[in-house]
Amino acid sequence: MKPVEIKPGVYWVGAIDWNLRYFHGYLTPRGTSYNAYLIMDDKITLVDNVKHHLCDEMLSRIKQVVDPAQIDYMIVNHVELDHSGSLPKMMELMPKAKVVTSPQGKKGLIRYFKKEWDFMVVNSGEDLNIGSRTLKFVHVPMVHWPDSMVTYIPDDKLLLPNDAFGQHIGSAERFDDQIGWDIIHEEACTYYANIVLPYGDNVLKALDVVGQLDIDMVAPSHGVIWRTYLDKIIPVYRRWAGNETDPKALIVYDTMWDSTRRIALALQDGLEEAGVPVTVRFLQTSHISEIMTDLLTARGILIGSPTINNGMLPSVSSFLTYIKGLRPKKRIGLAFGSYGWGGQGAKEVAAAIKTMGWETPVDFINMQYLPDEQELGTAKEAGIKLGEAIKAG
Ligand code: FEO
């Protein structure tokens, strides 16, 4: 459990959560890491810490560089417990450390831990000289919580942005080029879609600030450190934050007696005939957090449910609740479904799509019992029409 020197005098001293598979509603098949950084200077500084159960792992790394009692500053960029959970134990081992955080950070830490530590509240743009380096703090509220801030070290061209630019990857590798773009891009995409997506406007503001900084390394609080693919990930983040999509479609459905599935496939046929690539996800086999990865850049979102008990299937309702919270914008939607009588399932999906403000150039589709060839032809025609709208953007 060695520390890793990422810049001269700056050490990664975080912890790897190899076994994490579920992170507030989001599946994490690769586990994750909680990244903390130790800066050795006249004033020794620790930036962020780790989930409480991995405190000893972080400590073992810190102790290979310095006695924790020598640490002068504990910077808390973000209150969420994956980055502050070890604070009570660490503060006992760092008796002279001041806790440097945003005003909201101080409030949050006091609410969580009920401790009156020696706080140093910093405003956005404020500097802190620690010897040969001057740290700069920039508040980035709602990336991820109201307290969130980033720490920038101009002397090292190093940005420590906490949750931003993270990926849930637990690995022995610490740097992006040691894993490769394809895996990191996919994990960054899943992370963005499930965690950061609602805060796109704030991300764009933060990217404007980041764009003015001289940076050659971005070391987030989860996953690997960006040093080689920075020029690739920053424009991608800007696209995601702006809800920019590709002319492709995502069909998400559940089915009871196969009718809704048949409609889904007819819609797929139509979309493909219009020249639109389609991803099809069945809610009984795909987790909603995995589907978000597909949804992030899909312009057309088609959601299908049969009717049960005067409403939609609970699996579809769960998915809609999740995406309403994540607030994807600038999409083209279509509800579809089947019923025996009543037909409220697809109607409820259509109402949910409307509340999300998506365009709906094609009326929702609702078919009784098992759709026949003619009805499936109608669904295919709807798919073609929707495909044309998706291509037109
Ligand atoms: Fe990784 Fe918002 O905590």
Side-chain angles (χ1 to χ4, degrees):
M1 292 194 276
K2 288 192 170 304
V4 177
E5 192 169 22
I6 63 168
K7 289 269 185 180
V10 181
Y11 296 84
W12 173 83
V13 290
I16 302 169
D17 200 343
W18 298 100
N19 300 314
L20 186 83
R21 293 292 177 270
Y22 186 83
F23 190 91
H24 53 53
Y26 159 17
L27 298 186
T28 52
R30 296 179 193 272
T32 194
S33 68
Y34 313 109
N35 299 335
Y37 300 96
L38 181 66
I39 307 168
M40 296 303 295
D41 212 311
D42 294 349
K43 297 287 185 185
I44 298 170
T45 302
L46 180 61
V47 182
D48 294 321
N49 58 76
V50 301
K51 246 183 184 175
H52 71 285
H53 71 287
L54 293 170
C55 185
D56 286 346
E57 184 177 325
M58 174 178 66
L59 261 176
S60 80
R61 292 193 167 95
I62 292 172
K63 285 178 179 172
Q64 292 173 61
V65 183
V66 70
D67 176 354
Q70 300 304 311
I71 293 174
D72 297 282
Y73 293 117
M74 172 71 246
I75 295 174
V76 178
N77 279 324
H78 181 24
V79 170
E80 195 166 9
L81 298 176
D82 47 337
H83 310 297
S84 72
S86 296
L87 210 47
K89 181 170 177 180
M90 287 301 296
M91 290 305 290
E92 287 179 11
L93 302 171
M94 307 185 296
K96 66 175 179 171
K98 286 180 185 297
V99 177
V100 182
T101 191
S102 67
Q104 292 285 348
K106 179 180 174 183
K107 278 186 199 165
L109 291 173
I110 290 173
R111 287 293 299 166
Y112 268 116
F113 300 116
K114 318 288 189 253
K115 303 275 189 192
E116 282 295 340
W117 291 313
D118 184 7
F119 286 101
M120 177 188 285
V121 171
V122 289
N123 293 315
S124 196
E126 205 167 318
D127 292 338
L128 175 65
N129 181 270
I130 59 169
S132 66
R133 297 171 174 85
T134 298
L135 313 183
K136 184 183 268 301
F137 306 103
V138 180
H139 293 182
V140 289
M142 302 317 297
V143 189
H144 170 219
W145 280 9
D147 52 83
S148 295
M149 70 176 191
V150 304
T151 300
Y152 172 49
I153 314 172
D155 313 273
D156 296 305
K157 298 187 179 183
L158 173 63
L159 182 70
L160 307 176
N162 196 265
D163 274 342
F165 299 104
Q167 339 88 45
H168 282 315
I169 298 177
S171 64
E173 295 80 10
R174 295 272 61 81
F175 294 100
D176 54 2
D177 45 86
Q178 295 170 326
I179 287 194
W181 169 253
D182 289 348
I183 289 173
I184 299 175
H185 173 254
E186 183 170 329
E187 290 296 344
C189 177
T190 303
Y191 179 100
Y192 188 96
N194 283 282
I195 294 182
V196 191
L197 181 58
Y199 314 118
D201 292 345
N202 302 69
V203 172
L204 286 174
K205 284 182 205 159
L207 286 172
D208 287 342
V209 173
V210 169
Q212 294 165 13
L213 306 178
D214 187 12
I215 292 169
D216 65 16
M217 186 180 286
V218 171
S221 57
H222 297 288
V224 294
I225 294 165
W226 301 92
R227 67 177 178 188
T228 297
Y229 300 127
L230 263 181
D231 290 347
K232 290 175 91 165
I233 192 62
I234 288 177
V236 167
Y237 244 68
R238 195 170 279 284
R239 284 198 82 222
W240 294 339
N243 273 276
E244 290 178 39
T245 54
D246 299 322
K248 59 187 186 181
L250 168 67
I251 299 176
V252 183
Y253 74 97
D254 200 348
T255 197
M256 195 159 44
W257 292 109
D258 209 40
S259 301
T260 302
R261 186 186 71 88
R262 292 184 190 204
I263 300 167
L265 297 185
L267 287 163
Q268 179 188 7
D269 269 353
L271 288 158
E272 287 179 355
E273 193 158 310
V276 171
V278 188
T279 299
V280 183
R281 295 291 182 205
F282 179 32
L283 281 163
Q284 289 181 28
T285 53
S286 288
H287 191 267
I288 53 178
S289 63
E290 296 168 330
I291 296 172
M292 284 309 300
T293 312
D294 305 311
L295 192 146
L296 185 60
T297 51
R299 189 169 301 151
I301 316 290
L302 297 80
I303 303 170
S305 176
T307 294
I308 185 169
N309 302 331
N310 289 332
M312 63 182 117
L313 274 175
S315 56
V316 182
S317 176
S318 166
F319 174 66
L320 283 166
T321 299
Y322 195 57
I323 60 173
K324 279 162 82 176
L326 291 167
R327 301 198 290 278
K329 295 177 187 152
K330 301 186 195 170
R331 310 301 161 120
I332 294 172
L334 175 66
F336 65 95
S338 58
Y339 63 99
W341 58 98
Q344 295 90 338
K347 289 179 196 167
E348 285 186 3
V349 175
I353 285 176
K354 196 171 177 189
T355 64
M356 289 190 281
W358 298 353
E359 285 178 49
T360 50
V362 175
D363 280 344
F364 76 96
I365 294 168
N366 209 3
M367 294 180 175
Q368 191 172 27
Y369 292 118
L370 195 64
D372 60 24
E373 285 305 312
Q374 189 181 347
E375 287 170 314
L376 291 175
T378 307
K380 181 176 175 179
E381 285 303 314
I384 293 171
K385 194 174 164 195
L386 197 74
E388 296 301 334
I390 289 167
K391 285 194 299 184

